[in-house]
Amino acid sequence: MPSYVITGTSRGLGLGFVKALSLEPDNTVFALARNVVDATQLSDFVKQHVHKNIHIIEADNTHQKSMQNAADEVSKHTGGKLDMLINNAALIHHERDHLTLDSYPNPELLEQDLNIFLRTNVLGTIHTINAFLPLLLAGSMKKCIILASPLGTIKMTLATNFAGATGYGISKAAMSLATAKYAARFRNEGLAFLLVNPGFVKTMPGPKDEVEKLYDFQTANARKKFPDFEGAITVEDSVRDQLVLFDRVTIANTGDFLNRDGTDGDSRL
Ligand SMILES: NC(=O)c1ccc[n+]([C@@H]2O[C@H](COP(=O)([O-])OP(=O)(O)OC[C@H]3O[C@@H](n4cnc5c(N)ncnc54)[C@H](OP(=O)(O)O)[C@@H]3O)[C@@H](O)[C@H]2O)c1
């Protein structure tokens, strides 16, 4: 009975992981959402799902106690074990994404924005991993996945010359290093940590036409510099490929940053 915990399952890729993993009746899926009442896409899916193998748990990763409670609850169901943790939750879009580090109207606002990104995407993920570590070490797969982004790498930032989305990019870069720290700490215990780039995935909320137009525009723009850029992909395609990857990674991959097809995550957008 493989067990999976996924964070940020109210929508987007997190919900996609829940849908795909719960198709297998033997899997037990723990879907973490920070506000269960508002997570209607998730609860609607669970209600009509044929297998009763999904547990929804409310947990906000910015509150350590909340993540510890979630881990305790999972532990009760699994007898203290967890096979795979997928750290998917993140703050991504922000009203001041267009600003660069030097163009904030005042330093207080810069500090406020950086703090919320670091608190959610770095400390929040660290609290999540720490809460589930004892369960992962007792599990049989021993895999901890962290969703990463090309916007959070030095190489891609310089290659794209993109100076915006500062809080997001810096937080993803910091979490990559935190992942390396975990990999160094737990390599000898057989617990693998993997950073994965899910691709450019259509998760943006909003009216379908407008969202598609925006993705087409961004794809065309990216292809001016990177003609091979694959463009925006669906949640289903991204999740399918990532799950194949998660299945085949081993402790030999610990600390790696990979694209969903297994290539070096720093090799393309
Ligand atoms: N989409 C892409 O193209 C892309 C590319 C590269 C990497 N990624 C990474 O893939 C992951 C998923 O992205 P996505 O596009 O699916 O994102 P999304 O649609 O914006 O969903 C983000 C999820 O994170 C949750 N979340 C945010 N703050 C949280 C907190 N403090 N505690 C718990 N949950 C919280 C959100 O919950 P609420 O509904 O409550 O806000 C939501 O469920 C992220 O780590 C992102 O950085 C995505």
mmCIF file of all heavy atoms in Angstrom, residues 93-137:
data_model
loop_
_atom_site.group_PDB
_atom_site.id
_atom_site.type_symbol
_atom_site.label_atom_id
_atom_site.label_comp_id
_atom_site.label_asym_id
_atom_site.label_seq_id
_atom_site.Cartn_x
_atom_site.Cartn_y
_atom_site.Cartn_z
ATOM 1 N N HIS A 93 2.587 33.555 -8.036
ATOM 2 C CA HIS A 93 2.244 34.847 -8.653
ATOM 3 C C HIS A 93 2.053 35.914 -7.585
ATOM 4 O O HIS A 93 1.506 35.647 -6.517
ATOM 5 C CB HIS A 93 0.975 34.694 -9.495
ATOM 6 C CG HIS A 93 1.100 33.587 -10.486
ATOM 7 N ND1 HIS A 93 1.942 33.673 -11.570
ATOM 8 C CD2 HIS A 93 0.533 32.356 -10.525
ATOM 9 C CE1 HIS A 93 1.882 32.537 -12.245
ATOM 10 N NE2 HIS A 93 1.039 31.715 -11.632
ATOM 11 N N HIS A 94 2.510 37.105 -7.921
ATOM 12 C CA HIS A 94 2.428 38.212 -6.966
ATOM 13 C C HIS A 94 2.196 39.495 -7.744
ATOM 14 O O HIS A 94 2.698 39.640 -8.862
ATOM 15 C CB HIS A 94 3.748 38.272 -6.175
ATOM 16 C CG HIS A 94 3.679 39.153 -4.980
ATOM 17 N ND1 HIS A 94 3.813 40.510 -5.069
ATOM 18 C CD2 HIS A 94 3.471 38.856 -3.674
ATOM 19 C CE1 HIS A 94 3.701 41.026 -3.850
ATOM 20 N NE2 HIS A 94 3.493 40.036 -2.996
ATOM 21 N N GLU A 95 1.438 40.404 -7.136
ATOM 22 C CA GLU A 95 1.097 41.647 -7.838
ATOM 23 C C GLU A 95 2.332 42.484 -8.209
ATOM 24 O O GLU A 95 2.281 43.314 -9.110
ATOM 25 C CB GLU A 95 0.133 42.492 -6.989
ATOM 26 C CG GLU A 95 0.721 42.843 -5.641
ATOM 27 C CD GLU A 95 -0.234 43.583 -4.719
ATOM 28 O OE1 GLU A 95 -0.774 44.613 -5.131
ATOM 29 O OE2 GLU A 95 -0.415 43.111 -3.574
ATOM 30 N N ARG A 96 3.456 42.260 -7.518
ATOM 31 C CA ARG A 96 4.652 43.055 -7.832
ATOM 32 C C ARG A 96 5.736 42.236 -8.547
ATOM 33 O O ARG A 96 6.919 42.563 -8.493
ATOM 34 C CB ARG A 96 5.196 43.695 -6.543
ATOM 35 C CG ARG A 96 4.346 44.861 -6.085
ATOM 36 C CD ARG A 96 4.870 45.530 -4.844
ATOM 37 N NE ARG A 96 4.631 44.762 -3.637
ATOM 38 C CZ ARG A 96 3.492 44.753 -2.944
ATOM 39 N NH1 ARG A 96 2.481 45.484 -3.350
ATOM 40 N NH2 ARG A 96 3.362 44.025 -1.851
ATOM 41 N N ASP A 97 5.272 41.188 -9.269
ATOM 42 C CA ASP A 97 6.208 40.339 -10.034
ATOM 43 C C ASP A 97 7.039 41.123 -11.046
ATOM 44 O O ASP A 97 8.135 40.719 -11.419
ATOM 45 C CB ASP A 97 5.419 39.289 -10.837
ATOM 46 C CG ASP A 97 5.178 38.030 -10.024
ATOM 47 O OD1 ASP A 97 5.800 37.904 -8.957
ATOM 48 O OD2 ASP A 97 4.364 37.207 -10.470
ATOM 49 N N HIS A 98 6.452 42.231 -11.531
ATOM 50 C CA HIS A 98 7.132 43.002 -12.580
ATOM 51 C C HIS A 98 8.306 43.822 -12.031
ATOM 52 O O HIS A 98 9.147 44.294 -12.795
ATOM 53 C CB HIS A 98 6.130 43.934 -13.277
ATOM 54 C CG HIS A 98 5.493 44.905 -12.321
ATOM 55 N ND1 HIS A 98 4.549 44.515 -11.393
ATOM 56 C CD2 HIS A 98 5.692 46.232 -12.128
ATOM 57 C CE1 HIS A 98 4.190 45.566 -10.666
ATOM 58 N NE2 HIS A 98 4.867 46.620 -11.087
ATOM 59 N N LEU A 99 8.350 44.018 -10.714
ATOM 60 C CA LEU A 99 9.421 44.863 -10.148
ATOM 61 C C LEU A 99 10.752 44.108 -10.092
ATOM 62 O O LEU A 99 10.783 42.887 -9.921
ATOM 63 C CB LEU A 99 9.048 45.317 -8.738
ATOM 64 C CG LEU A 99 7.839 46.250 -8.616
ATOM 65 C CD1 LEU A 99 7.631 46.646 -7.160
ATOM 66 C CD2 LEU A 99 8.028 47.492 -9.482
ATOM 67 N N THR A 100 11.836 44.866 -10.241
ATOM 68 C CA THR A 100 13.176 44.292 -10.067
ATOM 69 C C THR A 100 13.672 44.681 -8.665
ATOM 70 O O THR A 100 13.045 45.512 -7.993
ATOM 71 C CB THR A 100 14.137 44.840 -11.142
ATOM 72 O OG1 THR A 100 14.112 46.272 -11.080
ATOM 73 C CG2 THR A 100 13.701 44.381 -12.528
ATOM 74 N N LEU A 101 14.779 44.112 -8.242
ATOM 75 C CA LEU A 101 15.218 44.352 -6.862
ATOM 76 C C LEU A 101 15.484 45.832 -6.578
ATOM 77 O O LEU A 101 15.342 46.297 -5.446
ATOM 78 C CB LEU A 101 16.482 43.528 -6.564
ATOM 79 C CG LEU A 101 16.251 42.027 -6.396
ATOM 80 C CD1 LEU A 101 17.571 41.273 -6.362
ATOM 81 C CD2 LEU A 101 15.425 41.723 -5.139
ATOM 82 N N ASP A 102 15.829 46.584 -7.621
ATOM 83 C CA ASP A 102 16.154 48.000 -7.417
ATOM 84 C C ASP A 102 14.972 48.938 -7.680
ATOM 85 O O ASP A 102 15.096 50.146 -7.492
ATOM 86 C CB ASP A 102 17.302 48.400 -8.358
ATOM 87 C CG ASP A 102 16.885 48.235 -9.804
ATOM 88 O OD1 ASP A 102 16.410 47.133 -10.157
ATOM 89 O OD2 ASP A 102 16.981 49.205 -10.573
ATOM 90 N N SER A 103 13.829 48.382 -8.148
ATOM 91 C CA SER A 103 12.757 49.301 -8.555
ATOM 92 C C SER A 103 11.576 49.341 -7.583
ATOM 93 O O SER A 103 10.525 49.861 -7.906
ATOM 94 C CB SER A 103 12.275 48.947 -9.970
ATOM 95 O OG SER A 103 11.706 47.652 -9.990
ATOM 96 N N TYR A 104 11.746 48.759 -6.400
ATOM 97 C CA TYR A 104 10.678 48.844 -5.392
ATOM 98 C C TYR A 104 10.523 50.296 -4.944
ATOM 99 O O TYR A 104 11.525 51.018 -4.815
ATOM 100 C CB TYR A 104 11.022 47.947 -4.184
ATOM 101 C CG TYR A 104 10.427 46.571 -4.296
ATOM 102 C CD1 TYR A 104 10.993 45.623 -5.130
ATOM 103 C CD2 TYR A 104 9.265 46.233 -3.595
ATOM 104 C CE1 TYR A 104 10.432 44.364 -5.257
ATOM 105 C CE2 TYR A 104 8.700 44.981 -3.712
ATOM 106 C CZ TYR A 104 9.284 44.052 -4.544
ATOM 107 O OH TYR A 104 8.712 42.818 -4.664
ATOM 108 N N PRO A 105 9.265 50.713 -4.696
ATOM 109 C CA PRO A 105 9.059 52.102 -4.279
ATOM 110 C C PRO A 105 9.699 52.416 -2.929
ATOM 111 O O PRO A 105 10.068 53.559 -2.661
ATOM 112 C CB PRO A 105 7.536 52.244 -4.199
ATOM 113 C CG PRO A 105 6.995 50.858 -4.191
ATOM 114 C CD PRO A 105 8.003 49.996 -4.864
ATOM 115 N N ASN A 106 9.816 51.404 -2.072
ATOM 116 C CA ASN A 106 10.502 51.636 -0.789
ATOM 117 C C ASN A 106 11.068 50.316 -0.252
ATOM 118 O O ASN A 106 10.579 49.237 -0.609
ATOM 119 C CB ASN A 106 9.565 52.308 0.229
ATOM 120 C CG ASN A 106 8.337 51.450 0.510
ATOM 121 O OD1 ASN A 106 8.463 50.371 1.078
ATOM 122 N ND2 ASN A 106 7.161 51.921 0.085
ATOM 123 N N PRO A 107 12.080 50.402 0.611
ATOM 124 C CA PRO A 107 12.732 49.178 1.105
ATOM 125 C C PRO A 107 11.819 48.319 1.979
ATOM 126 O O PRO A 107 11.977 47.108 2.039
ATOM 127 C CB PRO A 107 13.928 49.688 1.918
ATOM 128 C CG PRO A 107 13.756 51.139 2.068
ATOM 129 C CD PRO A 107 12.769 51.624 1.074
ATOM 130 N N GLU A 108 10.822 48.963 2.630
ATOM 131 C CA GLU A 108 9.921 48.206 3.509
ATOM 132 C C GLU A 108 9.101 47.197 2.679
ATOM 133 O O GLU A 108 8.912 46.052 3.072
ATOM 134 C CB GLU A 108 8.962 49.140 4.275
ATOM 135 C CG GLU A 108 9.623 50.010 5.329
ATOM 136 C CD GLU A 108 10.408 51.179 4.740
ATOM 137 O OE1 GLU A 108 10.112 51.606 3.603
ATOM 138 O OE2 GLU A 108 11.336 51.669 5.434
ATOM 139 N N LEU A 109 8.640 47.676 1.501
ATOM 140 C CA LEU A 109 7.830 46.802 0.643
ATOM 141 C C LEU A 109 8.693 45.659 0.074
ATOM 142 O O LEU A 109 8.250 44.507 -0.027
ATOM 143 C CB LEU A 109 7.227 47.631 -0.500
ATOM 144 C CG LEU A 109 5.947 47.105 -1.134
ATOM 145 C CD1 LEU A 109 4.869 46.845 -0.098
ATOM 146 C CD2 LEU A 109 5.442 48.110 -2.179
ATOM 147 N N LEU A 110 9.923 45.984 -0.275
ATOM 148 C CA LEU A 110 10.855 44.958 -0.764
ATOM 149 C C LEU A 110 11.039 43.880 0.299
ATOM 150 O O LEU A 110 10.965 42.674 0.035
ATOM 151 C CB LEU A 110 12.198 45.609 -1.114
ATOM 152 C CG LEU A 110 13.362 44.654 -1.397
ATOM 153 C CD1 LEU A 110 13.147 43.880 -2.689
ATOM 154 C CD2 LEU A 110 14.683 45.427 -1.490
ATOM 155 N N GLU A 111 11.248 44.335 1.545
ATOM 156 C CA GLU A 111 11.473 43.398 2.638
ATOM 157 C C GLU A 111 10.229 42.541 2.889
ATOM 158 O O GLU A 111 10.324 41.325 3.073
ATOM 159 C CB GLU A 111 11.813 44.201 3.904
ATOM 160 C CG GLU A 111 12.788 43.483 4.783
ATOM 161 C CD GLU A 111 13.302 44.364 5.905
ATOM 162 O OE1 GLU A 111 14.153 45.239 5.643
ATOM 163 O OE2 GLU A 111 12.845 44.163 7.034
ATOM 164 N N GLN A 112 9.065 43.205 2.843
ATOM 165 C CA GLN A 112 7.797 42.495 3.063
ATOM 166 C C GLN A 112 7.609 41.389 2.011
ATOM 167 O O GLN A 112 7.263 40.255 2.340
ATOM 168 C CB GLN A 112 6.657 43.513 2.974
ATOM 169 C CG GLN A 112 5.267 42.949 3.137
ATOM 170 C CD GLN A 112 4.218 44.015 2.848
ATOM 171 O OE1 GLN A 112 4.244 45.109 3.411
ATOM 172 N NE2 GLN A 112 3.294 43.699 1.947
ATOM 173 N N ASP A 113 7.864 41.722 0.750
ATOM 174 C CA ASP A 113 7.650 40.740 -0.321
ATOM 175 C C ASP A 113 8.649 39.591 -0.233
ATOM 176 O O ASP A 113 8.289 38.424 -0.349
ATOM 177 C CB ASP A 113 7.749 41.412 -1.703
ATOM 178 C CG ASP A 113 6.513 42.241 -2.014
ATOM 179 O OD1 ASP A 113 5.620 42.324 -1.143
ATOM 180 O OD2 ASP A 113 6.432 42.811 -3.115
ATOM 181 N N LEU A 114 9.918 39.929 -0.017
ATOM 182 C CA LEU A 114 10.915 38.849 0.083
ATOM 183 C C LEU A 114 10.606 37.933 1.265
ATOM 184 O O LEU A 114 10.717 36.713 1.174
ATOM 185 C CB LEU A 114 12.328 39.420 0.210
ATOM 186 C CG LEU A 114 12.958 39.929 -1.078
ATOM 187 C CD1 LEU A 114 14.376 40.448 -0.817
ATOM 188 C CD2 LEU A 114 13.030 38.842 -2.152
ATOM 189 N N ASN A 115 10.159 38.558 2.370
ATOM 190 C CA ASN A 115 9.841 37.755 3.552
ATOM 191 C C ASN A 115 8.725 36.758 3.297
ATOM 192 O O ASN A 115 8.816 35.603 3.697
ATOM 193 C CB ASN A 115 9.445 38.660 4.733
ATOM 194 C CG ASN A 115 10.664 39.088 5.522
ATOM 195 O OD1 ASN A 115 11.663 38.368 5.563
ATOM 196 N ND2 ASN A 115 10.601 40.257 6.116
ATOM 197 N N ILE A 116 7.678 37.182 2.605
ATOM 198 C CA ILE A 116 6.540 36.270 2.410
ATOM 199 C C ILE A 116 6.931 35.121 1.474
ATOM 200 O O ILE A 116 6.544 33.972 1.688
ATOM 201 C CB ILE A 116 5.256 36.999 1.954
ATOM 202 C CG1 ILE A 116 4.113 35.991 1.952
ATOM 203 C CG2 ILE A 116 5.370 37.695 0.637
ATOM 204 C CD1 ILE A 116 2.786 36.494 1.537
ATOM 205 N N PHE A 117 7.772 35.412 0.469
ATOM 206 C CA PHE A 117 8.220 34.326 -0.422
ATOM 207 C C PHE A 117 9.140 33.358 0.320
ATOM 208 O O PHE A 117 9.012 32.143 0.185
ATOM 209 C CB PHE A 117 8.928 34.897 -1.660
ATOM 210 C CG PHE A 117 7.973 35.209 -2.783
ATOM 211 C CD1 PHE A 117 7.557 36.504 -3.033
ATOM 212 C CD2 PHE A 117 7.466 34.191 -3.586
ATOM 213 C CE1 PHE A 117 6.661 36.785 -4.061
ATOM 214 C CE2 PHE A 117 6.572 34.454 -4.614
ATOM 215 C CZ PHE A 117 6.169 35.756 -4.851
ATOM 216 N N LEU A 118 10.060 33.916 1.108
ATOM 217 C CA LEU A 118 10.995 33.036 1.824
ATOM 218 C C LEU A 118 10.273 32.219 2.889
ATOM 219 O O LEU A 118 10.542 31.033 3.077
ATOM 220 C CB LEU A 118 12.127 33.859 2.447
ATOM 221 C CG LEU A 118 13.069 34.524 1.424
ATOM 222 C CD1 LEU A 118 14.057 35.463 2.110
ATOM 223 C CD2 LEU A 118 13.842 33.475 0.617
ATOM 224 N N ARG A 119 9.306 32.868 3.550
ATOM 225 C CA ARG A 119 8.549 32.181 4.604
ATOM 226 C C ARG A 119 7.730 31.013 4.022
ATOM 227 O O ARG A 119 7.701 29.923 4.577
ATOM 228 C CB ARG A 119 7.619 33.200 5.264
ATOM 229 C CG ARG A 119 6.901 32.727 6.472
ATOM 230 C CD ARG A 119 6.250 33.938 7.160
ATOM 231 N NE ARG A 119 5.029 33.542 7.844
ATOM 232 C CZ ARG A 119 4.995 33.003 9.055
ATOM 233 N NH1 ARG A 119 6.089 32.823 9.714
ATOM 234 N NH2 ARG A 119 3.849 32.663 9.605
ATOM 235 N N THR A 120 7.101 31.263 2.880
ATOM 236 C CA THR A 120 6.238 30.221 2.302
ATOM 237 C C THR A 120 7.057 29.153 1.578
ATOM 238 O O THR A 120 6.894 27.959 1.818
ATOM 239 C CB THR A 120 5.241 30.855 1.295
ATOM 240 O OG1 THR A 120 4.593 31.957 1.921
ATOM 241 C CG2 THR A 120 4.216 29.842 0.832
ATOM 242 N N ASN A 121 7.930 29.593 0.675
ATOM 243 C CA ASN A 121 8.571 28.630 -0.239
ATOM 244 C C ASN A 121 9.835 27.984 0.312
ATOM 245 O O ASN A 121 10.229 26.922 -0.166
ATOM 246 C CB ASN A 121 8.893 29.322 -1.573
ATOM 247 C CG ASN A 121 7.639 29.793 -2.288
ATOM 248 O OD1 ASN A 121 6.526 29.493 -1.867
ATOM 249 N ND2 ASN A 121 7.796 30.547 -3.360
ATOM 250 N N VAL A 122 10.455 28.640 1.287
ATOM 251 C CA VAL A 122 11.684 28.049 1.850
ATOM 252 C C VAL A 122 11.389 27.474 3.245
ATOM 253 O O VAL A 122 11.389 26.255 3.432
ATOM 254 C CB VAL A 122 12.844 29.070 1.906
ATOM 255 C CG1 VAL A 122 14.136 28.379 2.342
ATOM 256 C CG2 VAL A 122 13.035 29.728 0.552
ATOM 257 N N LEU A 123 11.078 28.383 4.193
ATOM 258 C CA LEU A 123 10.827 27.878 5.557
ATOM 259 C C LEU A 123 9.636 26.933 5.588
ATOM 260 O O LEU A 123 9.650 25.909 6.278
ATOM 261 C CB LEU A 123 10.566 29.062 6.494
ATOM 262 C CG LEU A 123 11.803 29.615 7.162
ATOM 263 C CD1 LEU A 123 11.464 30.864 7.959
ATOM 264 C CD2 LEU A 123 12.425 28.554 8.089
ATOM 265 N N GLY A 124 8.594 27.270 4.814
ATOM 266 C CA GLY A 124 7.401 26.418 4.775
ATOM 267 C C GLY A 124 7.731 25.021 4.293
ATOM 268 O O GLY A 124 7.251 24.019 4.838
ATOM 269 N N THR A 125 8.574 24.931 3.273
ATOM 270 C CA THR A 125 8.942 23.612 2.737
ATOM 271 C C THR A 125 9.856 22.877 3.725
ATOM 272 O O THR A 125 9.736 21.663 3.905
ATOM 273 C CB THR A 125 9.618 23.770 1.351
ATOM 274 O OG1 THR A 125 8.780 24.600 0.544
ATOM 275 C CG2 THR A 125 9.788 22.430 0.659
ATOM 276 N N ILE A 126 10.736 23.626 4.375
ATOM 277 C CA ILE A 126 11.622 23.004 5.379
ATOM 278 C C ILE A 126 10.789 22.459 6.558
ATOM 279 O O ILE A 126 11.006 21.338 7.021
ATOM 280 C CB ILE A 126 12.706 24.009 5.839
ATOM 281 C CG1 ILE A 126 13.704 24.255 4.690
ATOM 282 C CG2 ILE A 126 13.425 23.514 7.093
ATOM 283 C CD1 ILE A 126 14.703 25.378 4.934
ATOM 284 N N HIS A 127 9.804 23.256 7.007
ATOM 285 C CA HIS A 127 8.938 22.761 8.100
ATOM 286 C C HIS A 127 8.217 21.483 7.668
ATOM 287 O O HIS A 127 8.059 20.546 8.443
ATOM 288 C CB HIS A 127 7.868 23.804 8.462
ATOM 289 C CG HIS A 127 8.392 24.985 9.217
ATOM 290 N ND1 HIS A 127 9.396 24.886 10.145
ATOM 291 C CD2 HIS A 127 8.021 26.299 9.207
ATOM 292 C CE1 HIS A 127 9.641 26.092 10.660
ATOM 293 N NE2 HIS A 127 8.823 26.957 10.100
ATOM 294 N N THR A 128 7.783 21.475 6.409
ATOM 295 C CA THR A 128 7.059 20.303 5.897
ATOM 296 C C THR A 128 7.975 19.083 5.899
ATOM 297 O O THR A 128 7.623 18.015 6.417
ATOM 298 C CB THR A 128 6.547 20.565 4.453
ATOM 299 O OG1 THR A 128 5.819 21.791 4.445
ATOM 300 C CG2 THR A 128 5.666 19.426 3.965
ATOM 301 N N ILE A 129 9.161 19.249 5.323
ATOM 302 C CA ILE A 129 10.100 18.115 5.247
ATOM 303 C C ILE A 129 10.457 17.628 6.653
ATOM 304 O O ILE A 129 10.416 16.425 6.938
ATOM 305 C CB ILE A 129 11.363 18.500 4.440
ATOM 306 C CG1 ILE A 129 10.984 18.767 2.973
ATOM 307 C CG2 ILE A 129 12.432 17.404 4.535
ATOM 308 C CD1 ILE A 129 12.103 19.337 2.117
ATOM 309 N N ASN A 130 10.765 18.574 7.557
ATOM 310 C CA ASN A 130 11.160 18.162 8.915
ATOM 311 C C ASN A 130 10.045 17.385 9.616
ATOM 312 O O ASN A 130 10.312 16.403 10.321
ATOM 313 C CB ASN A 130 11.556 19.384 9.746
ATOM 314 C CG ASN A 130 12.932 19.914 9.352
ATOM 315 O OD1 ASN A 130 13.677 19.237 8.640
ATOM 316 N ND2 ASN A 130 13.264 21.115 9.796
ATOM 317 N N ALA A 131 8.803 17.830 9.405
ATOM 318 C CA ALA A 131 7.683 17.150 10.077
ATOM 319 C C ALA A 131 7.522 15.716 9.574
ATOM 320 O O ALA A 131 7.187 14.810 10.333
ATOM 321 C CB ALA A 131 6.385 17.937 9.846
ATOM 322 N N PHE A 132 7.795 15.496 8.281
ATOM 323 C CA PHE A 132 7.572 14.169 7.696
ATOM 324 C C PHE A 132 8.826 13.281 7.667
ATOM 325 O O PHE A 132 8.736 12.106 7.308
ATOM 326 C CB PHE A 132 6.981 14.305 6.278
ATOM 327 C CG PHE A 132 5.514 14.681 6.297
ATOM 328 C CD1 PHE A 132 5.108 15.994 6.105
ATOM 329 C CD2 PHE A 132 4.543 13.716 6.538
ATOM 330 C CE1 PHE A 132 3.758 16.339 6.149
ATOM 331 C CE2 PHE A 132 3.195 14.036 6.574
ATOM 332 C CZ PHE A 132 2.798 15.359 6.383
ATOM 333 N N LEU A 133 9.981 13.837 8.059
ATOM 334 C CA LEU A 133 11.231 13.052 7.994
ATOM 335 C C LEU A 133 11.169 11.697 8.706
ATOM 336 O O LEU A 133 11.544 10.671 8.103
ATOM 337 C CB LEU A 133 12.394 13.868 8.572
ATOM 338 C CG LEU A 133 13.186 14.725 7.599
ATOM 339 C CD1 LEU A 133 14.189 15.588 8.368
ATOM 340 C CD2 LEU A 133 13.899 13.882 6.546
ATOM 341 N N PRO A 134 10.659 11.649 9.958
ATOM 342 C CA PRO A 134 10.644 10.335 10.631
ATOM 343 C C PRO A 134 9.800 9.320 9.875
ATOM 344 O O PRO A 134 10.150 8.137 9.827
ATOM 345 C CB PRO A 134 10.021 10.647 12.004
ATOM 346 C CG PRO A 134 10.141 12.126 12.174
ATOM 347 C CD PRO A 134 10.160 12.736 10.816
ATOM 348 N N LEU A 135 8.718 9.779 9.266
ATOM 349 C CA LEU A 135 7.840 8.861 8.516
ATOM 350 C C LEU A 135 8.537 8.390 7.239
ATOM 351 O O LEU A 135 8.474 7.212 6.878
ATOM 352 C CB LEU A 135 6.516 9.558 8.149
ATOM 353 C CG LEU A 135 5.471 9.705 9.262
ATOM 354 C CD1 LEU A 135 5.864 10.785 10.258
ATOM 355 C CD2 LEU A 135 4.113 10.046 8.666
ATOM 356 N N LEU A 136 9.213 9.340 6.563
ATOM 357 C CA LEU A 136 9.906 8.986 5.316
ATOM 358 C C LEU A 136 11.024 7.979 5.570
ATOM 359 O O LEU A 136 11.227 7.046 4.797
ATOM 360 C CB LEU A 136 10.491 10.248 4.664
ATOM 361 C CG LEU A 136 9.508 11.160 3.928
ATOM 362 C CD1 LEU A 136 10.172 12.490 3.601
ATOM 363 C CD2 LEU A 136 8.984 10.501 2.651
ATOM 364 N N LEU A 137 11.732 8.188 6.668
ATOM 365 C CA LEU A 137 12.844 7.273 6.988
ATOM 366 C C LEU A 137 12.333 5.869 7.304
ATOM 367 O O LEU A 137 13.036 4.882 7.100
ATOM 368 C CB LEU A 137 13.659 7.829 8.169
ATOM 369 C CG LEU A 137 14.534 9.040 7.818
ATOM 370 C CD1 LEU A 137 15.031 9.731 9.084
ATOM 371 C CD2 LEU A 137 15.721 8.624 6.929
#
